[in-house]
């Protein structure tokens, strides 16, 4: 007899909408707090968006940020940020730091001569230091990257909304877009709160979150539409609960297996991809939550058509209409 692992019972009857106003209120509060955090702290833009040069140093000797900064101060480089990088995957004698130099006013990027001067200055205080990577981005390019990133996120949200509208109804599209905005906004708020580096890889992570979240939302929407045509006499809330429960096993298995891989990358993948992996990990958690407690709540309040086989749209199944489909 084959052994089959079941993380979710076969027939669940969880009332996901029992506390619908509380859950939606929490989501709204989190979104508002994210906006406040973004305004107060701002995003910790990486070199992709700020312009300048990032030098990654590596040494067998412990990093002393104060000594590094003192060695660079005579160069007159302006704003210089030096941070030590910690990672459990590093060797015992592997000490890594990042030196971030903002682009000088009127210059497209930090010149190779300046980079060479930085390397020479650091070698005077730590002869064992090496420079495995140097990344430079000019202010003009960084400004264009910010615009392109914003357009990419907005274009994806608009395209997804149109797709949901055409495949289902406008109420579904409204729920999906509110859910996606909720996911992106809260993820950015977490990045601002903890000052996690925000760069092009984070934009890629945000687009990945949007795709993952809408995939989970569409699965439940599709089952909801089937059940709405099947159970015409049931209240919309009951049909929604039924649909979420029927797809719960798939949601848990998909999210769970994805998180296993992501947590492994988060712990063992190194600091280079940590921001990217953290964004996706957090986004999957918040996206799974929002597909039920944000998208479905919006659809529940707006009401939907109860019978797609009919062209008559007078009865939209709204809880405020007070009428049931035949």
């Amino acid at each position: 007899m084959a052994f089959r692992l079941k993380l979710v019972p076969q027939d669940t009857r969880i009332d996901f909408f029992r506390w619908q106003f509380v859950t939606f209120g929490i989501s709204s509060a989190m979104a508002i707090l994210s906006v406040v955090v973004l305004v107060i702290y701002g995003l910790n833009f990486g070199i992709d968006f700020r312009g300048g040069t990032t030098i990654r140093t590596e040494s067998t000797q412990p990093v002393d940020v104060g000594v590094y900064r003192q060695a660079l101060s005579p160069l007159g480089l302006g704003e210089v940020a030096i941070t030590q990088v910690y990672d459990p995957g590093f060797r015992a004698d592997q000490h890594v730091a990042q030196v971030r130099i903002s682009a000088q006013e009127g210059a497209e990027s930090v010149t190779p001569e300046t980079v060479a001067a930085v390397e020479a200055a650091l070698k005077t205080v730590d002869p064992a230091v090496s420079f495995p990577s140097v990344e430079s981005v000019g202010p003009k390019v960084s400004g264009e990257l910010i615009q392109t990133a914003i357009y990419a996120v907005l274009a994806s949200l608009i395209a997804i909304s149109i797709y949901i509208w055409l495949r289902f109804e406008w109420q579904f599209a409204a729920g999906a877009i509110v859910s996606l905005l909720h996911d992106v906004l809260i993820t950015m708020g977490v990045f601002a709160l903890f000052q996690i580096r925000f760069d092009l890889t984070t934009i890629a992570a945000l687009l990945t979150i949007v795709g993952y979240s809408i995939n989970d939302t569409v699965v439940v929407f599709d089952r909801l539409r089937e059940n709405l045509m099947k159970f015409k006499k049931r209240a919309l809330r009951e049909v929604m609960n039924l649909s979420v429960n029927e797809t719960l096993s798939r949601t848990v298995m998909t999210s769970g297996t994805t998180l296993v891989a992501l947590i492994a990358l988060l712990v063992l993948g190194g600091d280079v991809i940590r921001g990217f992996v953290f964004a996706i990990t957090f986004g999957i958690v918040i996206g799974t939550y929002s597909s039920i407690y944000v998208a479905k709540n919006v659809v529940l309040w707006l009401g939907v058509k109860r019978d797609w086989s009919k062209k008559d749209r007078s009865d939209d199944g709204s809880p405020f209409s007070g009428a049931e489909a035949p």
Side-chain angles (χ1 to χ4, degrees):
M1 185 175 181
F3 173 75
R4 306 180 72 179
L5 176 63
K6 291 184 179 180
L7 299 180
V8 178
Q10 186 71 27
D11 185 19
T12 57
R13 299 178 182 275
I14 303 172
D15 187 357
F16 288 96
F17 301 97
R18 181 179 182 183
W19 308 103
Q20 57 179 324
F21 293 102
V22 175
T23 55
F24 195 80
I26 292 174
S27 297
S28 301
M30 290 173 63
I32 293 172
L33 285 175
S34 296
V35 173
V36 173
V37 170
L38 284 168
V39 171
I40 295 177
Y41 296 105
L43 291 169
N44 179 23
F45 287 115
I47 207 72
D48 298 331
F49 294 138
R50 294 181 60 182
T53 298
T54 296
I55 302 174
R56 181 183 175 90
T57 72
E58 188 172 319
S59 177
T60 56
Q61 300 180 16
V63 174
D64 190 326
V65 175
V67 172
Y68 277 28
R69 185 173 288 110
Q70 187 176 2
L72 296 179
S73 59
L75 300 179
L77 300 175
E79 183 182 352
V80 177
I82 305 173
T83 56
Q84 187 172 0
V85 178
Y86 298 94
D87 192 281
F90 288 164
R91 303 184 309 271
D93 63 342
Q94 186 179 13
H95 305 281
V96 179
Q98 280 191 340
V99 181
R100 297 173 59 182
I101 307 170
S102 296
Q104 307 299 308
E105 188 173 351
E108 284 297 310
S109 63
V110 177
T111 63
E113 292 77 12
T114 302
V115 174
V118 169
E119 294 180 358
L122 292 180
K123 280 185 176 294
T124 61
V125 297
D126 185 359
V129 71
S130 62
F131 308 90
S133 68
V134 178
E135 300 177 4
S136 295
V137 178
K140 182 178 179 180
V141 175
S142 64
E144 293 175 353
L145 288 175
I146 292 176
Q147 277 190 339
T148 304
I150 294 173
Y151 293 155
V153 175
L154 290 178
S156 65
L157 294 177
I158 293 172
I160 287 171
S161 300
I162 295 173
Y163 163 73
I164 298 295
W165 193 344
L166 293 176
R167 177 168 177 176
F168 299 100
E169 295 286 326
W170 69 268
Q171 296 94 331
F172 290 87
I177 199 67
V178 170
S179 173
L180 294 179
L181 287 172
H182 165 273
D183 299 343
V184 171
L185 191 58
I186 292 180
T187 302
M188 292 177 65
V190 170
F191 267 71
L193 180 63
F194 295 104
Q195 287 297 288
I196 303 171
R197 186 177 60 186
F198 192 91
D199 51 22
L200 282 179
T201 59
T202 310
I203 296 297
L206 289 177
L207 294 175
T208 304
I209 291 168
V210 168
Y212 188 94
S213 179
I214 198 62
N215 177 66
D216 190 49
T217 302
V218 166
V219 168
V220 184
F221 276 171
D222 202 49
R223 182 60 60 87
L224 173 61
R225 182 172 60 176
E226 293 175 4
N227 287 334
L228 284 173
M229 291 186 287
K230 184 178 180 181
F231 303 105
K232 300 183 180 68
K233 295 295 184 179
R234 287 194 184 183
L236 180 58
R237 174 174 162 172
E238 292 182 13
V239 179
M240 279 193 164
N241 263 322
L242 175 64
S243 303
V244 176
N245 277 283
E246 287 179 345
T247 57
L248 184 60
S249 177
R250 177 261 175 202
T251 299
V252 172
M253 290 295 292
T254 304
S255 300
T257 52
T258 307
L259 286 174
V260 168
L262 287 173
I263 291 173
L265 285 174
L266 192 63
V267 175
L268 304 174
D271 64 286
V272 176
I273 63 171
R274 179 157 293 135
F276 172 77
V277 177
F278 173 79
I280 297 181
T281 304
F282 180 81
I284 285 178
V285 175
I286 198 71
T288 303
Y289 168 88
S290 68
S291 66
I292 298 174
Y293 292 107
V294 177
K296 308 305 182 294
N297 271 335
V298 172
V299 175
L300 179 61
W301 293 334
L302 291 177
V304 293
K305 184 180 178 181
R306 300 305 303 268
D307 189 354
W308 274 263
S309 64
K310 297 183 178 181
K311 295 182 179 181
D312 182 13
R313 306 172 68 93
S314 60
D315 179 18
D316 61 0
S318 169
F320 305 104
S321 65
E324 291 290 343

